[in-house]
Amino acid sequence: MLSVLILTVLTMDAFLTGLRKYCLDLDVRLSQWGFAFLWTNKYVVLSFLLIYIFAVSNLPLDRERERYSIARIGVSRWAVAQGLYLISFGWFYAVFLLVIQNLLLCRVAQWSASWGRGWIMLSGGVAAGYDIYVTVPYLVLSNYELLEANALTFIILGLLLGMMGMLVFWLNFYFRAAGAAAGSFIIFLGLAAVRFRSLIPYSPTNWIQLEKHYNILNPEQPKPGYMITMLLLLTLFELLMARRRVERTQENNRR
């Protein structure tokens, strides 16, 4: 887990280095509302989700070592407890990403009750010559309030991490590589959806990006209500399937 935290910090720093240099050179300050813009880059989404899949790829824990807990509470409750722990870890990781981003930008940040001059300047494409991964779509600035944009991004990210973690958890009951393979497939499906927009309603990793949400110019794209509902239902389904799978093991006196 320590290696996951270090890798996350180093990756976040690599994505924000160009942005910090741009702000320091031009003496531009950024407001604290930039979390929603971090995820507009497909490589940011790819990198942090792959790190998360790596972090949860060893779950569930070895049942041989957990045999005393299983004996006390039963294998079904043990599986549910493991799943809830994994969902909680997804939200913790989302909070960690938010905190680390703000800490790494603290030298060029300022508190503001609006988007601020810095983010608005970036939406105009004035950062030519700087290696900046964070883009600021004008569509997001013009159609979302700052609290709405950041809250939506954070909520969908937390639900997405929980859903993907539960997918890994469920499929790992069959064999260890299955969960990581399925999670990686969903992540790379998101890269395909960047080119084939018809895949966006079926590609949860794209739902973090606000420009992939429904708007008047792209009415075929999904709405936030659909995204949140689907992520909740998928998480519940995967938890129930994981519980059903573990109930068929020898710990529960079944073949």
Side-chain angles (χ1 to χ4, degrees):
M1 195 56 64
L2 178 61
S3 64
V4 169
L5 297 180
I6 294 173
L7 182 59
T8 300
V9 173
L10 293 177
T11 304
M12 182 72 79
D13 183 66
F15 283 125
L16 297 179
T17 296
L19 181 59
R20 286 200 306 268
K21 188 175 186 304
Y22 160 78
C23 292
L24 292 172
D25 288 349
L26 277 68
D27 193 25
V28 173
R29 296 292 172 178
L30 301 172
S31 70
Q32 73 280 12
W33 306 110
F35 188 69
F37 301 130
L38 176 66
W39 303 94
T40 57
N41 187 288
K42 60 184 179 181
Y43 298 111
V44 171
V45 176
L46 173 70
S47 299
F48 289 117
L49 292 187
L50 285 176
I51 292 173
Y52 179 75
I53 292 295
F54 168 71
V56 301
S57 60
N58 66 327
L59 292 172
L61 299 176
D62 186 357
R63 280 175 282 177
E64 181 62 26
R65 297 181 180 179
E66 293 284 303
R67 61 184 183 276
Y68 297 113
S69 298
I70 293 173
R72 287 198 303 269
I73 65 176
V75 69
S76 297
R77 291 182 179 178
W78 172 82
V80 172
Q82 291 268 305
L84 294 177
Y85 165 79
L86 191 53
I87 292 171
S88 301
F89 176 70
W91 285 100
F92 168 81
Y93 191 68
V95 171
F96 182 70
L97 289 171
L98 176 62
V99 171
I100 290 300
Q101 183 203 17
N102 282 286
L103 287 177
L104 291 174
L105 291 178
C106 65
R107 290 178 60 194
V108 296
Q110 66 176 4
W111 181 266
S112 175
S114 64
W115 286 117
R117 174 171 167 263
W119 297 117
I120 294 174
M121 286 179 61
L122 285 171
S123 69
V126 298
Y130 291 89
D131 191 15
I132 297 180
Y133 291 92
V134 180
T135 58
V136 183
Y138 180 74
L139 181 67
V140 175
L141 285 177
S142 59
N143 287 279
Y144 291 91
E145 296 293 334
L146 50 90
L147 283 174
E148 178 190 15
N150 284 273
L152 267 179
T153 302
F154 179 78
I155 290 171
I156 292 174
L157 176 61
L159 292 174
L160 174 65
L161 293 175
M163 185 277 290
M164 295 189 68
M166 285 309 306
L167 177 66
V168 173
F169 179 71
W170 167 35
L171 296 182
N172 276 358
F173 278 116
Y174 292 89
F175 59 94
R176 283 290 176 177
S184 300
F185 172 79
I186 291 177
I187 294 171
F188 285 101
L189 177 65
L191 294 182
V194 173
R195 181 171 182 180
F196 304 101
R197 302 185 74 87
S198 59
L199 294 175
I200 291 176
Y202 315 103
S203 176
T205 59
N206 293 100
W207 299 348
I208 317 172
Q209 302 167 306
L210 294 181
E211 70 271 25
K212 300 296 192 302
H213 292 200
Y214 170 88
N215 61 76
I216 193 171
L217 300 176
N218 295 289
E220 76 283 357
Q221 294 183 164
K223 295 182 179 181
Y226 164 84
M227 299 173 183
I228 293 173
T229 301
M230 289 302 298
L231 290 172
L232 288 172
L233 290 176
L234 286 170
T235 303
L236 178 61
F237 171 77
E238 290 158 1
L239 179 59
L240 292 176
M241 293 302 293
R243 179 180 175 180
R244 182 183 179 187
R245 172 63 182 173
V246 80
E247 285 175 348
R248 296 178 178 273
T249 60
Q250 292 182 356
E251 288 91 342
N252 214 36
N253 296 321
R254 297 187 183 183
R255 294 183 180 179

